[in-house]
Amino acid sequence: DAGVIQSPRHEVTEMGQEVTLRCKPISGHNSLFWYRQTMMRGLELLIYFNNNVPIDDSGMPEDRFSAKMPNASFSTLKIQPSEPRDSAVYFCASSLRGINTGELFFGEGSRLTVL
Amino acid sequence: DAKTTQPTSMDCAEGRAANLPCNHSTISGNEYVYWYRQIHSQGPQYIIHGLKNNETNEMASLIITEDRKSSTLILPHATLRDTAVYYCIVFNTDKLIFGTGTRLQVFP
């Protein structure tokens, strides 16, 4: 099993540009989570999906952030326009919703730097 | 909002047991205790979880007090590769909220 796959691993962009982060969850998993990690705020849950439907997006910082899950094998997190304060590592995780819902499998993260 | 309290950092000698404490005094009856760790520059990794009984797997043991207000994660023979931030999380089948965790440094 390839695990959760995220791309790009590293992204450097300039303020005002659009950023799209991508995630492929583990096959068969029906829950997907986007987290952001910074030194100041630690690991923050941004949004999560069950069966491709957004369940809780209360962690999305503002309207510049949006997330989609068009099918069970793909999700995107978009920032438009990007700002320097968006610089962080963004993690995607997936799980099989059921008895052991709390066991999440994380990807290796996408490190975003906004200049 | 994290419902747990953990020490900021701990040290452990290689080969010795690492005992990481966690307080969760407001835990509800249907909430589980989950432990994750994050090795530098990697995504968090699930370790173990429990409800009220002690649990053991190939990575660690979890000891939960009878009143469930605290727990201890035990790494029986710590190695240098166990150096990481360890997160204790109270979970109720909704979403995992990470706190600040304990930074464990294993030294030779």
Side-chain angles (χ1 to χ4, degrees):
Chain A
D1 195 333
V4 175
I5 300 173
Q6 293 186 245
S7 65
R9 291 295 313 280
H10 301 273
E11 172 105 2
V12 180
T13 190
E14 293 187 347
M15 183 174 62
Q17 296 298 305
E18 178 179 295
V19 173
T20 299
L21 307 178
R22 298 172 177 81
C23 176
K24 177 179 170 55
I26 292 173
S27 177
H29 281 189
N30 54 5
S31 291
L32 184 139
F33 305 79
W34 282 101
Y35 285 84
R36 175 174 70 175
Q37 186 170 35
T38 61
M39 288 292 293
M40 291 296 294
R41 301 177 66 89
L43 267 165
E44 302 173 278
L45 176 63
L46 301 178
I47 186 172
Y48 75 94
F49 297 81
N50 283 341
N51 296 317
N52 312 337
V53 176
I55 301 300
D56 186 343
D57 65 354
S58 59
M60 296 286 264
E62 49 197 272
D63 292 344
R64 297 184 297 107
F65 285 68
S66 63
K68 294 182 179 179
M69 191 164 186
N71 56 62
S73 59
F74 183 66
S75 177
T76 59
L77 178 67
K78 186 174 294 187
I79 309 172
Q80 167 62 21
S82 58
E83 296 182 3
R85 59 186 168 140
D86 302 330
S87 297
V89 181
Y90 291 81
F91 289 102
C92 176
S94 70
S95 73
L96 182 60
R97 190 161 184 84
I99 295 174
N100 194 10
T101 306
E103 185 175 355
L104 271 58
F105 295 80
F106 282 79
E108 296 186 348
S110 294
R111 180 174 296 276
L112 173 65
T113 301
V114 183
L115 303 175
Chain B
D1 297 325
K3 299 180 181 180
T4 63
T5 303
Q6 299 179 253
T8 302
S9 63
M10 296 181 63
D11 290 338
C12 179
E14 188 176 21
R16 303 297 295 268
N19 298 291
L20 292 89
C22 178
N23 287 323
H24 32 79
S25 58
T26 61
I27 193 170
S28 300
N30 62 345
E31 291 180 322
Y32 289 75
V33 178
Y34 273 75
W35 283 83
Y36 277 73
R37 73 179 182 184
Q38 186 174 24
I39 296 171
H40 182 61
S41 297
Q42 297 182 19
Q45 175 190 24
Y46 165 82
I47 300 174
I48 198 168
H49 75 283
L51 183 61
K52 53 183 178 181
N53 297 324
N54 298 337
E55 303 288 344
T56 296
N57 63 20
E58 65 278 4
M59 291 183 67
S61 294
L62 174 61
I63 308 298
I64 302 174
T65 57
E66 191 170 345
D67 63 7
R68 303 212 320 124
K69 293 185 177 182
S70 66
S71 61
T72 301
L73 179 74
I74 301 173
L75 308 179
H77 306 286
T79 71
L80 299 178
R81 288 174 296 180
D82 291 323
T83 292
V85 177
Y86 287 77
Y87 298 96
C88 170
I89 303 166
V90 169
F91 178 73
N92 65 353
T93 73
D94 185 15
K95 49 191 180 184
L96 275 178
I97 304 299
F98 288 79
T100 54
T102 296
R103 183 172 299 277
L104 175 69
Q105 179 69 53
V106 181
F107 58 90

